[in-house]
Amino acid sequence: MTTHNSAVIAEPMLLEIYRRAALIRVADEKFQKMISSGQLQILYYSPRGQEILSAALMTAVNVSDYLVTTYRGIHDQLAKGIPLRLLWAEFAGKATGTCKGKGGPMHITHPESGVMVTTGIVGAGLPIANGLALASQLAGDGKVTVVCFGDGATNIGAFHEAMNLAQIWLLPVVFVCQNNLYGEHTPQAMSTGAKELIDRALGYGIKGVQVNGNDAFAMHAAATAAVERARAGGGPTFIEAKTFRFLGHLLGDDSHYIPAAEMAAARAADPLPAYRRELISRGVDESVLSGIDAGIAAQVEDAAQYALDSPYPDTREIRVDVLKSEIAP
Ligand SMILES: Cc1ncc(C[n+]2csc(CCOP(=O)(O)OP(=O)(O)O)c2C)c(N)n1
Ligand SMILES: [Mg+2]
């Protein structure tokens, strides 16, 4: 497994990874507060613990590159660059959201940021990503599609079909398995015969990379290599990025099925504070990071208030955007 890669990442990029990861962390905490206090009534799948993975991954792609992600996708969506206000408003079901409040948290879509689909159907994103990548290949537009999914998704038929087809057609797609070791309440060993998920790539002749997803340097390097390879016509890569979810499957889950020692060890190695310490040890001034933190805190408060103040969609909107040729209200 790849951990700390010695490849040098320039300081602006290191700070950008920090900014995106910190934004995810603060937004996640605010979402939790709003849900616990009843200001927001949604099912919430926290990405807590997986912030660095997304930030390091999405800084390896362009805004115009495509992303397909899942219900546990707020880290990916924010790291890809969806404006915070629009994301928050969509989570709150408001007319100012990315999908005019009609998609909700499970269906975040914002093509302007390259976020093409968010799906609640486990494994469903992979064939869709192939479709996007095929369109790019045919158009020759040079775009790469990244699709994120969990370890549990690697047991779904669509995963296997999509991996096979992507390799045969050398599609410009990067399959990123965010392996947090659990699917709902089931540990990987109880649902999956293969010990290492990376081995699944072998069966399809796909290049497989196993990486510590919580290590920003290793994750960014692995993602950059996979994206460059796809863009150059080299075909797909399967990245197994090891990580951990700190708050169970969805908000309110007490994680009783996770051994206490496993949870404690994961929390002690919380990737975001570890990355912050690493940056300081590399000479980044703490005041620079604190300045980023302060800006994010204000941005999050602003977005949350924007969502609360925004109106719900008009009921006449219900039949609009359903079909390509819209039905007039
Ligand atoms: C096809 C399908 N089967 C089952 C479910 C119910 N379900 C929702 S999330 C989930 C667990 C998926 O785990 P994983 O892929 O590891 O993602 P994680 O939640 O850990 O990020 C399951 C089984 C579903 N949404 N879709
Ligand atoms: Mg999982």
Side-chain angles (χ1 to χ4, degrees):
M1 180 162 67
T2 313
T3 48
H4 247 68
N5 192 293
S6 53
V8 179
I9 305 177
E11 184 166 316
M13 178 61 85
L14 292 179
L15 292 179
E16 184 56 21
I17 293 173
Y18 178 79
R19 189 191 67 74
R20 294 191 201 188
L23 175 65
I24 296 162
R25 170 66 57 97
V26 178
D28 173 64
E29 283 173 350
K30 182 74 179 176
F31 270 116
Q32 289 181 46
K33 265 193 206 146
M34 289 179 79
I35 295 163
S36 311
S37 67
Q39 282 179 296
L40 213 52
Q41 285 106 33
I42 54 170
L43 290 179
Y44 184 65
Y45 304 86
S46 171
R48 180 74 180 248
Q50 301 182 201
E51 302 92 340
I52 285 289
L53 193 166
S54 283
L57 168 63
M58 299 308 167
T59 44
V61 298
N62 300 328
V63 174
S64 57
D65 287 325
Y66 295 142
L67 170 68
V68 176
T69 187
T70 74
Y71 52 89
R72 192 184 314 286
I74 190 175
H75 52 332
D76 297 334
Q77 293 146 2
L78 286 176
K80 187 68 172 67
I82 293 190
L84 194 57
R85 279 183 164 199
L86 302 193
L87 182 90
W88 219 289
E90 190 60 38
F91 265 67
K94 298 298 182 78
T96 51
T98 46
C99 301
K100 303 187 196 169
K102 296 187 286 183
M106 288 245 191
H107 304 290
I108 300 292
T109 303
H110 191 246
E112 297 85 342
S113 311
V115 181
M116 305 308 279
V117 177
T118 295
T119 170
I121 310 296
V122 172
L126 288 94
I128 297 172
N130 273 0
L132 289 162
L134 177 62
S136 293
Q137 191 182 60
L138 292 174
D141 63 16
K143 291 182 186 179
V144 171
T145 299
V146 172
V147 52
C148 294
F149 49 89
D151 42 296
T154 67
N155 290 326
I156 295 277
F159 165 88
H160 299 274
E161 295 174 25
M163 293 266 283
N164 189 49
L165 201 63
Q167 179 59 28
I168 290 168
W169 290 352
L170 291 181
L171 296 176
V173 60
V174 181
F175 298 110
V176 181
C177 174
Q178 301 192 10
N179 184 1
N180 57 23
L181 307 176
Y182 288 82
E184 283 196 344
H185 302 170
T186 308
Q188 191 183 303
M190 280 179 69
S191 65
T192 309
K195 279 212 169 54
E196 303 291 340
L197 298 185
I198 188 183
D199 291 344
R200 303 201 143 180
L202 261 180
Y204 302 107
I206 285 196
K207 184 177 170 59
V209 180
Q210 190 183 53
V211 66
N212 176 2
N214 294 340
D215 177 334
F217 301 90
M219 186 66 220
H220 186 77
T224 301
V227 168
E228 278 174 4
R229 188 163 172 273
R231 219 185 292 286
T237 301
F238 172 69
I239 299 179
E240 181 200 352
K242 299 253 194 190
T243 187
F244 204 75
R245 19 151 258 213
F246 287 8
L247 296 174
H249 180 55
L250 83 172
L251 199 64
D253 175 354
D254 65 6
S255 303
H256 63 275
Y257 51 90
I258 301 179
E262 186 181 7
M263 181 64 93
R267 283 176 178 263
D270 190 342
L272 178 56
Y275 183 60
R276 197 180 202 279
R277 288 193 298 273
E278 174 71 23
L279 290 186
I280 291 168
S281 79
R282 286 175 181 236
V284 174
D285 201 307
E286 191 174 6
S287 66
V288 172
L289 302 176
S290 304
I292 293 174
D293 295 341
I296 287 170
Q299 200 190 343
V300 165
E301 288 306 317
D302 165 79
Q305 198 56 48
Y306 176 80
L308 289 176
D309 293 345
S310 292
Y312 285 106
D314 192 287
T315 49
R316 280 172 302 179
E317 273 280 324
I318 202 159
R319 290 162 64 201
V320 179
D321 304 320
V322 177
L323 301 170
K324 188 160 185 272
S325 51
E326 291 176 356
I327 300 167

